[in-house]
Amino acid sequence: MSVQVLRGWSDSDWDDEVRRSPEGTMFHTRLWSRICVASFPELRDRSLWVEVTSDAGSSRHQLPLLEWRRGAGLVNTVHSSFPFIYGGPLPLRGAGGRVVLPEILEFLETVRGTVLVTSNPLAERPFDRLPSAADDATGRRDAAARADAADGIREEQGSAPPPAVSSGMVPSANWEQGELTTHLRTLPETESAFWDDELPPRRRNDVRRLTKKGVSIEESQNPDDVSAVYRLYRASFERWGGAPAFVHPELFYQNLVSMGQGDVRFSVARFEGAVIGGVFALRFGRAVHYFAGYMDSEAKALRPNVLLQVDSILHGIRDRYAFYDFLPSGGSEPVEQFKEGFGGVRYSLPVFTRRSLAHRLLARARGR
């Protein structure tokens, strides 16, 4: 077995390959790397395109890698994506259909610092059997191709298939295998199938009643709206029991919207001229990723979180996406129940970590 780093590729080469892959997500793109690097001064792009050669033959794989530098470079973490989202080799399988993760992890043992590799739900069974589709002239997968892909998986709704990546993938004792839980659902063929057949009557009534009351949902690219939603994010810390260990800067959300190039849909809920909620949805390839959503706790009775989620799902169906991915919930049971109320199915993904000596010593000093 050997892993060779390939040279001479361009950003357009990379993204063309991601868009052609049925496993490709927004988090694998060069655009995502640019957004993250522009938002976090501690980040460095270390992405690699590699060729894996084994007894079964050779195959090429993309490895999005972002290095998070702390302590003047003394404590570094190399993430398969950032912040703490899907990644791993694209595609997951190489020659002969063999999962290449063990070879990739062994290769990453040569990388300086802690390495964190999170899997990708679109590379898991049964999703890997879906057909790919040709790109259109602008490089974006068109609605008809997404519809063809969606037809192949609707029967899988409600089930959580066994993962393609299982225990025993780690090449050495240097790696720890953990787990990340996300929520996924397939999208129905029509909006009415979701609105009439899936959505509980009480939520349909909420949408009708609150719309008549004056709550509106609209797309926005206004930086002031991003700032307003970011204030709701910061205000939520008190409800969560204090600031989390990792706080996204406002610049990150501003860059999502300003740099998103049509792959980021930012929608806001308004009432009497005020922003009472907002959602950032990433729309790429076959999936809509519900990346983040925040609401005004003082406007809870107006249910902006419900209205925004219904709007986001309906737009995903209208634009013929196959999947709706609610993303991990950080272990918050109320948030997970909310996502399950919209058809999300809990789905576990493996996470592989190789801790550097600096991280092990730091953890020991902190008593962990």
Side-chain angles (χ1 to χ4, degrees):
M1 182 278 298
S2 67
V3 177
Q4 179 182 357
V5 176
L6 302 175
R7 310 288 183 185
W9 52 268
S10 66
D11 282 5
S12 60
D13 292 337
W14 179 288
D15 282 343
D16 285 347
E17 190 71 15
V18 175
R19 290 188 185 279
R20 280 192 290 268
S21 172
E23 302 172 22
T25 73
M26 177 75 162
F27 308 110
H28 289 91
T29 65
R30 303 300 298 150
L31 172 61
W32 186 256
S33 294
R34 288 195 296 272
I35 289 173
C36 289
V37 170
S39 306
F40 299 92
E42 305 89 350
L43 280 184
R44 300 293 184 273
D45 191 349
R46 297 289 186 260
S47 299
L48 298 171
W49 206 329
V50 299
E51 184 173 60
V52 177
T53 302
S54 67
D55 293 342
S58 297
S59 54
R60 295 186 173 192
H61 304 266
Q62 294 163 292
L63 289 177
L65 296 171
L66 290 166
E67 182 183 35
W68 187 17
R69 298 168 59 86
R70 289 168 290 168
L74 297 177
V75 181
N76 298 340
T77 303
V78 178
H79 294 262
S80 62
S81 188
F82 194 88
F84 321 114
I85 305 294
Y86 314 137
L90 182 71
L92 179 62
R93 292 171 178 79
R98 183 171 174 275
V99 174
V100 299
L101 190 59
E103 288 83 3
I104 295 297
L105 293 180
E106 183 176 352
F107 168 73
L108 290 176
E109 290 193 8
T110 64
V111 173
R112 179 175 175 268
T114 291
V115 181
L116 186 68
V117 177
T118 304
S119 189
N120 165 23
L122 297 192
E124 306 290 320
R125 290 192 297 263
F127 310 119
D128 59 331
R129 63 177 171 78
L130 294 180
S132 183
D135 300 334
D136 63 16
T138 63
R140 294 183 58 82
R141 194 182 306 279
D142 62 17
R146 286 195 295 269
D148 289 343
D151 288 340
I153 47 79
R154 289 195 177 96
E155 294 304 317
E156 305 291 347
Q157 176 62 38
S159 64
V165 176
S166 59
S167 59
M169 286 286 174
V170 294
S172 73
N174 295 328
W175 292 91
E176 306 167 18
Q177 182 170 339
E179 187 175 271
L180 180 72
T181 300
T182 187
H183 282 76
L184 289 168
R185 62 155 298 152
T186 58
L187 290 175
E189 188 172 357
T190 64
E191 294 175 65
S192 63
F194 171 72
W195 177 264
D196 297 322
D197 301 337
E198 289 190 31
L199 204 60
R202 60 183 175 83
R203 284 192 166 162
R204 293 200 300 269
N205 291 335
D206 278 344
V207 175
R208 295 187 184 106
R209 175 177 58 85
L210 295 170
T211 299
K212 289 181 180 178
K213 191 170 183 176
V215 180
S216 63
I217 307 296
E218 60 189 60
E219 290 186 50
S220 175
Q221 291 190 332
N222 189 330
D224 292 339
D225 289 341
V226 177
S227 295
V229 173
Y230 186 76
R231 288 193 292 271
L232 299 179
Y233 163 62
R234 299 285 302 199
S236 69
F237 293 171
E238 185 175 346
R239 300 197 306 275
W240 296 346
F246 180 83
V247 177
H248 297 78
E250 181 179 342
L251 179 60
F252 176 65
Y253 293 107
Q254 294 286 1
N255 285 337
L256 276 179
V257 176
S258 64
M259 298 173 64
Q261 300 178 3
D263 290 321
V264 178
R265 182 175 183 266
F266 173 52
S267 53
V268 296
R270 299 187 195 277
F271 182 68
E272 296 181 346
V275 172
I276 59 172
V279 160
F280 301 85
L282 313 179
R283 297 150 57 89
F284 183 91
R286 299 178 298 148
V288 177
H289 302 278
Y290 167 66
F291 186 76
Y294 308 108
M295 72 169 187
D296 184 351
S297 61
E298 299 295 323
K300 187 176 180 179
L302 297 175
R303 311 298 297 276
N305 55 339
V306 171
L307 271 64
L308 283 162
Q309 197 66 252
V310 169
D311 172 80
S312 185
I313 292 173
L314 286 173
H315 272 83
I317 297 168
R318 189 175 307 161
D319 294 334
R320 308 300 291 166
Y321 285 89
F323 304 102
Y324 197 86
D325 174 18
F326 293 90
L327 263 68
S329 307
S332 172
E333 190 62 30
V335 175
E336 292 184 347
Q337 291 175 359
F338 177 78
K339 293 175 179 180
E340 288 165 8
F342 285 95
V345 177
R346 296 194 190 200
Y347 194 90
S348 295
L349 296 167
V351 179
F352 301 92
T353 306
R354 192 214 66 196
R355 301 184 188 278
S356 67
L357 175 61
H359 265 111
R360 293 198 301 271
L361 293 174
L362 186 61
R364 188 180 304 171
R366 292 175 175 174
R368 296 178 183 177

